[in-house]
Amino acid sequence: MLLQIHEPGETPEPHALERGQAIGIDLGTTNSVVAMVSGSHPEVLRDAGGDGLVPSVVAYAYDEPLVGRMALAELARHPDLVISSVKRLMGRGAEDIKKLAGALPYEIAADAAAGGMVRLKVGDRVLSPVEISADILRALKARAEASLGHAVEKAVITVPAYFDDAARNATKDAARLAGLEVLRLVNEPTAAALAYGLDSASEGIYAVYDLGGGTFDISLLKLQKGVFQVLATGGDAQLGGDDFDHALAEWAMKRTGINGLTSGEAKILLQAARAAKERLTTAPGAELKAVVAGHEIRQSIDRGTFEILIEPLLGRTLRACRQVLADARLSATDVKGVVLVGGSTRVPLVRAIVADFFKQEPLAGIDPDEVVAVGAALQANALTRGSDTLLLDVIPLSLGIETMGGIVEKVIERNTPIPVTKAQDFTTYQDGQTGMLIHAVQGERETVDACRSLGRFELTGIPPMVAGAARIRVTYAVDADGLLTVSAEERTTGAKAEIAVKPSYGLSDDEMADMLRDSLTYAREDMEKRLLLESRVEAERVLLALRAALNADGKLLSEAERAEIDRVAHAVRERIAGEDRAQIHAAMEALDRATHDFAQKRMDIAIQMALKGQRLDEVEAGMATDGAR
Amino acid sequence: MAVVEKLGGDGAGAQFVPCWSCKGPVAARALFCHTCGAVQAPGAVDHFTRMGLAPGFDVDDALLEKQYLGFQRVLHPDRFAAKPARERAIAQSQSVALNEAYEVLGDPLKRGIYLLRLRGVNSAAADDKTVSDPALLMQAMEQREALAEAESVDAVENLMIAVGAQAIQLLSDISRAFADDDLDSANRFVLRLKYARKFLEEARLKRAALES
Ligand SMILES: Nc1ncnc2c1ncn2[C@@H]1O[C@H](COP(=O)(O)OP(=O)(O)OP(=O)(O)O)[C@@H](O)[C@H]1O
Ligand SMILES: [Mg+2]
Ligand SMILES: [Zn+2]
């Protein structure tokens, strides 16, 4: 087989490193969309009727969950078995849910009160939002597979920019349950900008105002030469069209004097409110009709009244807009274009206030429901096939650590570009203290209570010292998905202490393992398969590197030495073709030993050349500065 | 790891180490191996070197941005999505190093503190150490009082304009001090800049409170 050497940093054409085609998924509160790039164009995958939106609704009325329109159709018959807007619960604890206003269309499982991620009681099942989201993702994956005619295993999934760490992790877990490897979590407004930016090679500062069903994001991006650089992002992970529906439903309940709805009845009323709301986008008046609790609700509403109801909610979005401009040290007039995203931006009053705030007519060239998925597909394509565009994103909310007295010390400020790593030193406050509780929180407020708890990490094994003598370095690392990893180390003794992670609102590793076991489609073999794949990729890398080294310095070897290396390399190639991960590793280790002397010779030659004053490093020094163009 | 200093070379940067991937020699500062193309771990270089800029307080923002984006273009982990996990991790650490350098060099206050540290001066502005500049403390106290007494947006903004002008003046003072290699003055001006910044931040908060 012919091996190719790639340009530095270039993503190779899929052959030896083939990792399959990847799809882009907008996992929305109300609607989800799956798209992919075929040829060079992004395409939304539609049903037979041409509909690209899959309602994010799951019905658990039968053995197999139903997703989308079919699930919606079950609402009238089985209101208590149909779950919608589950995205609002991602990464949330039972306590958080109680804080959400209005009649909740969910039944919270009793045992969830103990803490950890909230669970819903759906008929006789108890389900976490992660499992329900996984069912939606499975349906989207199936749609893509049906359209492609083969299996799909990789995806870029979008999340609200304002999603916190717990919600991001929950999304990634859901994908894993659905048998999808997440190549990257991309922020929804960033994905939308990507979809727009590629269309109209525009440069300058753009604002993306994304008001969907359950979340609001506002992002400011600087576009230049294919780089999409997020300058600041803000929003509200609990604000969207759902809240308009709640406002309308509460208005109707007040007018009719009905209260104390069951969660099933609340769902039906909210559905009716939503229909009325959507009619008001094009009509001056609408009627809200529903039968709940044995009463018939019939209320006419005009657009003006509706606008009064939602005005305070829109005020909250403008406050976030002001904040991001301040964070980016920009004013509204610096913004060259405003992109509207999300179904709720169809509401005329939303368009009007955005136009008024930014003093310009917003862009709405691409369907606001589909633009995020299109961006996700473009990014999926860029990650698997290479691209000239680059997304540089930020963290939406500051990451901090609890200090004495429940005060938060910020470790990474909001709007810091990712990936990022920051460390901070702490000390012990008691003589002989051997442990320390590290509590990671996210949010802008100064007290722990007012921030979200992400997880507690117990650092143990600190050698006993007098108070204040230990130097404990806590490191926060945020990757390009916006996910946090915390580590801690005692520095004076160099003892690296163990940390145990207890995510506050996530799934524990055990829970995840149980769910993977339970899930019918993907089980342990899947995990094993993935590890095998990763080993193969690594082994290919080793062979490519060896080939490059032999091309450059093969002349340093005698024929016998060369033959021996070729023989061992061949053995690696054979193992790659096999199915045994352990054997691949053993063969790679053998190759490492077989090439040890060769590597040593190459280094020795370099030293000799250096002694002769030859500028061996010139080539690379040149490459180092070529990086910036 | 074998690090070999090239004899008779020009010192810094004239070193090479084995490439983690093909094991051959690669310049310690190289981003990619010239033999196998693998991305290399970010070396322990200063932020200016990393960005390909001459060290100094005066940094051209447009050039800094151009360098930053140029390096991110080739080093960001998204460029390595199809590569083995190890290469992705190395790319991530390169990208982290770039973000850190960009943050420090892009902000005059952080840049000043950093430049002092490179010259062996641990600036009081670097952490919340006690300050022994009576003139500065006096001025800061007066400005605070004035801010506390300001009762209108206009009054706050007038203070902001005055302190803002001081901050701009401080930038050229710092620049000159570094140019003259007068690290004591540079250190003093950097600390003043920190106080001016802090004041402006508080004034912004107060203005926002008055506006709403
Ligand atoms: N014509 C319309 N008028 C008013 N609202 C509408 C209209 N069409 C859709 N919506 C609302 O838009 C919301 C759904 O928008 P979208 O599909 O963009 O959200 P999502 O992506 O599912 O949610 P999110 O991005 O918050 O997770 C719903 O609240 C829906 O009622
Ligand atoms: Mg959306
Ligand atoms: Zn190499």
Side-chain angles (χ1 to χ4, degrees):
Chain A
M1 176 181 179
L2 187 74
L3 293 172
Q4 263 182 300
I5 300 161
H6 305 285
E7 282 299 300
E10 186 191 62
T11 312
E13 272 308 306
H15 64 286
L17 302 183
E18 167 71 85
R19 306 187 84 206
Q21 190 157 16
I23 53 177
I25 292 177
D26 172 7
L27 182 60
T29 310
T30 325
N31 299 299
S32 296
V33 181
V34 54
M36 57 181 282
V37 173
S38 61
S40 59
H41 280 286
E43 227 173 82
V44 169
L45 304 180
R46 300 172 192 283
D47 64 13
D51 197 348
L53 300 192
V54 177
S56 306
V57 181
V58 190
Y60 293 93
Y62 310 99
D63 285 348
E64 287 291 307
L66 292 175
V67 175
R69 306 233 169 266
M70 285 191 299
L72 217 43
E74 296 291 327
L75 186 60
R77 240 176 310 159
H78 305 288
D80 51 330
L81 301 179
V82 177
I83 301 295
S84 54
S85 295
V86 74
K87 184 174 173 180
R88 304 195 96 171
L89 309 182
M90 291 294 265
R92 304 260 133 194
E95 289 308 305
D96 299 317
I97 304 306
K98 286 185 195 129
K99 287 186 217 151
L100 292 178
L104 272 180
Y106 310 104
E107 210 173 311
I108 308 293
D111 63 340
M117 183 180 280
V118 66
R119 288 185 199 238
L120 303 184
K121 204 165 148 354
V122 186
D124 49 14
R125 304 181 212 214
V126 173
L127 295 167
S128 73
V130 170
E131 291 164 284
I132 299 168
S133 297
D135 282 327
I136 299 170
L137 288 171
R138 275 191 199 99
L140 299 169
K141 181 173 181 271
R143 176 178 281 210
E145 288 174 341
S147 137
L148 275 171
H150 61 74
V152 171
E153 287 172 344
K154 290 163 213 309
V156 165
I157 300 183
T158 60
V159 290
Y162 216 60
F163 248 19
D164 63 26
D165 191 79
R168 281 168 201 267
N169 269 310
T171 306
K172 236 181 159 174
D173 285 347
R176 219 175 123 198
L177 269 188
L180 281 170
E181 181 193 341
V182 180
L183 292 178
R184 177 72 74 234
L185 294 176
V186 173
N187 290 329
E188 287 163 12
T190 312
L194 186 59
Y196 267 91
L198 286 187
D199 253 22
S200 55
S202 14
E203 307 237 314
I205 289 165
Y206 285 78
V208 181
Y209 180 104
D210 178 353
L211 189 61
T215 59
F216 169 64
D217 281 329
I218 172 77
S219 286
L220 289 174
L221 292 103
K222 187 168 178 182
L223 269 64
Q224 51 182 330
K225 300 193 188 75
V227 180
F228 294 68
Q229 188 184 8
V230 179
L231 301 177
T233 196
D236 191 329
Q238 302 291 342
L239 175 61
D242 279 7
D243 297 287
F244 299 180
D245 305 346
H246 276 280
L248 255 184
E250 271 158 33
W251 170 85
M253 282 167 69
K254 222 179 270 161
R255 301 255 305 194
T256 48
I258 296 175
N259 51 35
L261 299 185
T262 65
S263 70
E265 289 161 348
K267 280 180 212 174
I268 288 168
L269 179 60
L270 285 170
Q271 195 62 28
R274 182 169 152 196
K277 169 191 78 176
E278 291 180 7
R279 272 198 302 283
L280 285 170
T281 291
T282 43
E287 192 163 70
L288 194 164
K289 281 183 296 194
V291 181
V292 288
H295 300 273
E296 183 177 45
I297 294 183
R298 266 184 112 89
Q299 291 288 326
S300 309
I301 182 160
D302 59 36
R303 193 187 280 166
T305 309
F306 172 65
E307 290 181 344
I308 291 170
L309 290 175
I310 63 169
E311 175 88 57
L313 298 168
L314 300 189
R316 270 162 68 190
T317 71
L318 291 187
R319 225 175 299 150
C321 291
R322 251 174 245 124
Q323 183 65 53
V324 286
L325 284 171
D327 284 354
R329 307 210 178 278
L330 292 171
S331 71
T333 49
D334 294 321
V335 174
K336 190 171 159 197
V338 182
V339 175
L340 289 183
V341 183
S344 297
T345 60
R346 292 212 172 86
V347 172
L349 183 62
V350 174
R351 300 199 161 212
I353 61 135
V354 174
D356 181 60
F357 183 85
F358 288 103
K359 308 272 178 278
Q360 58 185 296
E361 276 313 307
L363 306 164
I366 308 182
D367 187 335
D369 295 323
E370 296 182 351
V371 60
V372 170
V374 167
L378 288 169
Q379 181 66 355
N381 190 57
L383 292 177
T384 46
R385 297 200 192 132
S387 148
D388 279 342
T389 60
L390 181 64
L391 304 185
L392 297 175
D393 225 308
V394 300
I395 56 160
L397 293 151
S398 300
L399 292 164
I401 187 165
E402 175 172 354
T403 62
M404 293 281 272
I407 300 297
V408 176
E409 170 130 358
K410 283 187 185 158
V411 180
I412 305 180
E413 298 277 343
R414 71 164 183 270
N415 293 323
T416 299
I418 51 175
V420 62
T421 299
K422 297 230 162 153
Q424 220 159 90
D425 288 344
F426 296 90
T427 189
T428 45
Y429 54 91
Q430 270 174 7
D431 288 344
Q433 190 179 336
T434 57
M436 185 181 230
L437 188 71
I438 292 160
H439 184 196
V441 299
Q442 187 161 29
E444 306 313 315
R445 306 281 290 281
E446 277 166 20
T447 59
V448 169
D449 302 344
C451 287
R452 267 186 75 64
S453 164
L454 294 181
R456 286 167 211 274
F457 308 79
E458 170 88 36
L459 175 76
T460 55
I462 302 171
M465 285 181 252
V466 292
R471 274 273 152 277
I472 292 144
R473 173 152 295 183
V474 179
T475 304
Y476 277 34
V478 179
D479 65 16
D481 288 330
L483 294 175
L484 171 71
T485 310
V486 180
S487 58
E489 188 186 1
E490 204 292 307
R491 309 249 309 164
T492 54
T493 57
K496 194 157 196 150
E498 284 297 304
I499 52 166
V501 183
K502 291 186 200 107
S504 301
Y505 299 107
L507 298 172
S508 68
D509 284 348
D510 286 351
E511 285 174 308
M512 189 71 198
D514 283 349
M515 285 180 184
L516 278 172
R517 230 187 328 276
D518 293 348
S519 100
L520 297 169
T521 35
Y522 281 86
R524 173 152 291 134
E525 309 94 70
D526 178 57
M527 195 62 197
E528 197 44 52
K529 206 176 94 196
R530 211 159 274 175
L531 289 172
L532 174 63
L533 205 82
E534 186 68 44
S535 299
R536 281 183 181 147
V537 171
E538 172 66 10
E540 291 282 0
R541 200 263 313 149
V542 168
L543 290 179
L544 276 170
L546 175 62
R547 174 60 59 101
L550 288 170
N551 280 345
D553 297 324
K555 54 189 179 302
L556 302 178
L557 296 169
S558 71
E559 250 170 60
E561 288 166 334
R562 174 65 189 253
E564 173 62 9
I565 288 179
D566 283 347
R567 188 186 64 76
V568 185
H570 186 73
V572 173
R573 169 135 320 283
E574 279 179 349
R575 293 308 181 204
I576 291 175
E579 303 284 319
D580 192 333
R581 201 154 54 86
Q583 288 196 344
I584 295 177
H585 281 274
M588 279 199 288
E589 271 168 29
L591 184 60
D592 196 53
R593 283 190 300 273
T595 54
H596 182 268
D597 289 349
F598 176 43
Q600 196 55 54
K601 267 192 192 141
R602 296 174 68 206
M603 287 302 290
D604 290 346
I605 291 289
I607 293 168
Q608 285 165 22
M609 278 164 58
L611 285 172
K612 282 192 227 140
Q614 269 172 301
R615 301 292 309 260
L616 184 93
D617 61 311
E618 271 174 354
V619 198
E620 295 128 318
M623 288 175 77
T625 37
D626 281 351
R629 37 176 163 132
Chain B
M1 193 190 288
V3 178
V4 183
E5 179 84 30
K6 191 175 79 178
L7 297 178
D10 51 1
Q15 294 180 336
F16 54 91
V17 293
C19 163
W20 66 270
S21 181
C22 77
K23 314 275 169 55
V26 59
R29 267 164 49 188
L31 302 177
F32 297 96
C33 171
H34 70 283
T35 306
C36 73
V39 64
Q40 303 295 305
V45 297
D46 68 84
H47 296 326
F48 292 98
T49 308
R50 188 174 311 290
M51 287 291 191
L53 298 175
F57 185 72
D58 297 326
V59 166
D60 175 350
D61 284 338
L63 179 62
L64 172 65
E65 186 179 54
K66 182 169 163 253
Q67 294 291 93
Y68 168 70
L69 296 180
F71 284 119
Q72 284 287 19
R73 237 180 234 285
V74 293
L75 293 170
H76 192 275
D78 280 2
R79 289 285 184 259
F80 299 82
K83 298 270 185 164
R86 198 153 153 206
E87 233 170 320
R88 294 202 302 270
I90 293 174
Q92 172 161 322
S93 58
Q94 280 280 10
S95 191
V96 163
L98 287 172
N99 277 331
E100 191 188 342
Y102 188 53
E103 177 184 332
V104 171
L105 300 190
D107 174 14
L109 178 59
K110 288 179 184 155
R111 187 164 72 225
I113 294 169
Y114 180 68
L115 209 48
L116 283 166
R117 212 182 75 210
L118 284 185
R119 307 267 178 100
V121 180
N122 193 1
S123 169
D127 34 43
D128 293 319
K129 274 200 277 187
T130 41
V131 172
S132 54
D133 181 345
L136 170 60
L137 291 175
M138 182 62 95
Q139 188 188 39
M141 217 168 69
E142 281 167 13
Q143 285 170 344
R144 283 257 166 74
E145 271 168 23
L147 182 63
E149 282 160 15
E151 273 163 8
S152 69
V153 171
D154 273 355
V156 173
E157 280 185 345
N158 284 337
L159 287 167
M160 288 171 79
I161 289 167
V163 177
Q166 282 172 17
I168 290 168
Q169 177 58 40
L170 281 166
L171 294 185
S172 49
D173 292 343
I174 297 170
S175 167
R176 196 159 11 81
F178 274 117
D180 296 347
D181 224 13
D182 179 358
L183 298 185
D184 277 348
S185 301
N187 195 4
R188 213 171 48 245
F189 293 139
V190 164
L191 188 60
R192 289 187 180 193
L193 180 63
K194 181 180 174 171
Y195 271 78
R197 286 277 196 87
K198 232 190 199 156
F199 175 85
L200 288 171
E201 194 48 48
E202 278 161 25
R204 254 190 291 275
L205 288 177
K206 171 130 190 196
R207 181 177 62 180
L210 286 172
E211 270 169 352
S212 64

